[in-house]
Amino acid sequence: MRMPVASPNGLDRELAVNQRYQINDEAKRKIAAKAAELVVSNSTIIIDSGSTTHLLAQALADTGNVTVITNNLAAASTLAGIGSITLAISGGVYRNVSQSIHGHKAEEFFEGVYADIAFIGADGLDPKKGVTTFNEGYNVTQTMAKCAKTVVILADSSKLSRSGFNQVLLPEQIDMLITDNGISSEDVARFRSQGIHVVAV
């Protein structure tokens, strides 16, 4: 069983978004770029909170004819004003640490949504536990996943050494994982045994 990384590195608790960019930043950019390749013209996508999902928004900035639905204010700020992108932002309660919107109003907003792909971030990731988090604002992510035809997790390999105390998504709710080459062949096999398509960049 994997154990959480010790607290001196700050990886056994929720980190502010600005801190997250400093961890595996190059890997996150590659993951975001690969995720952007999945987005086709005239599709509707959901972008969850997180640093890698924000980088996905940056990668999509030149993409046209896409509808983006998000609770990620950093992603929304990146995409705002781009005429070729239709942007829908949830209401709810703002969380400064994640620069995103959560709470009952946000969950209600996503309950009436349909999307082709939901791009979901993760604090922790495990083939048996699925996606976990350290914060209490995870209900909106669960609602997002139910709205989408395909659920894609964007998580660099450092997340495999973390295990949050709240379970967000079970393995069977995940269709694809995009991660970096730091993932071991053993972990790739474990995810694939759960029916999850793994892409390592």
Side-chain angles (χ1 to χ4, degrees):
M1 175 182 295
R2 292 180 178 272
M3 298 299 292
V5 176
S7 58
N9 294 324
L11 296 181
D12 62 346
R13 56 183 170 81
E14 183 179 17
L15 298 177
V17 167
N18 291 338
Q19 293 175 288
R20 297 179 207 174
Y21 290 112
Q22 302 168 26
I23 302 172
N24 284 0
D25 57 333
E26 184 60 31
K28 290 180 178 181
R29 293 187 184 280
K30 289 180 179 179
I31 291 166
K34 177 59 69 173
E37 294 177 6
L38 300 177
V39 181
V40 299
S41 182
N42 298 312
S43 62
T44 297
I45 67 170
I46 292 172
I47 296 180
D48 188 21
S49 61
S51 56
T52 310
T53 48
H54 176 214
L55 293 172
L56 167 62
Q58 293 180 354
L60 290 174
D62 295 326
T63 301
N65 301 317
V66 174
T67 297
V68 177
I69 308 169
T70 188
N71 70 330
N72 185 329
L73 288 193
S77 178
T78 295
L79 298 173
I82 299 176
S84 59
I85 292 180
T86 300
L87 180 63
I89 307 168
S90 76
V93 178
Y94 177 69
R95 296 185 75 246
N96 185 59
V97 67
S98 61
Q99 297 180 21
S100 59
I101 301 172
H102 297 262
H104 182 64
K105 291 295 183 183
E107 294 157 32
E108 283 186 338
F109 173 86
F110 282 101
E111 283 173 357
V113 163
Y114 171 82
D116 297 292
I117 307 175
F119 293 101
I120 306 296
D123 284 336
L125 186 63
D126 182 88
K128 290 185 178 180
K129 295 179 182 177
V131 175
T132 59
T133 185
F134 296 101
N135 71 66
E136 298 297 327
Y138 59 93
N139 286 343
V140 66
T141 301
Q142 295 174 337
T143 305
M144 288 177 183
K146 294 175 183 177
C147 298
K149 181 178 179 181
T150 302
V151 175
V152 179
I153 306 302
L154 307 184
D156 67 89
S157 58
S158 72
K159 305 299 176 65
L160 292 165
S161 62
R162 307 179 72 193
S163 181
F165 46 77
N166 288 316
Q167 187 170 53
V168 182
L169 295 177
L170 296 169
E172 55 262 35
Q173 295 175 282
I174 302 168
D175 298 295
M176 179 184 294
L177 165 63
I178 304 180
T179 187
D180 60 76
N181 286 321
I183 188 172
S184 68
S185 58
E186 292 80 9
D187 278 333
V188 170
R190 291 169 68 206
F191 281 110
R192 287 177 176 168
S193 71
Q194 296 280 7
I196 299 170
H197 178 57
V198 180
V199 177
V201 295

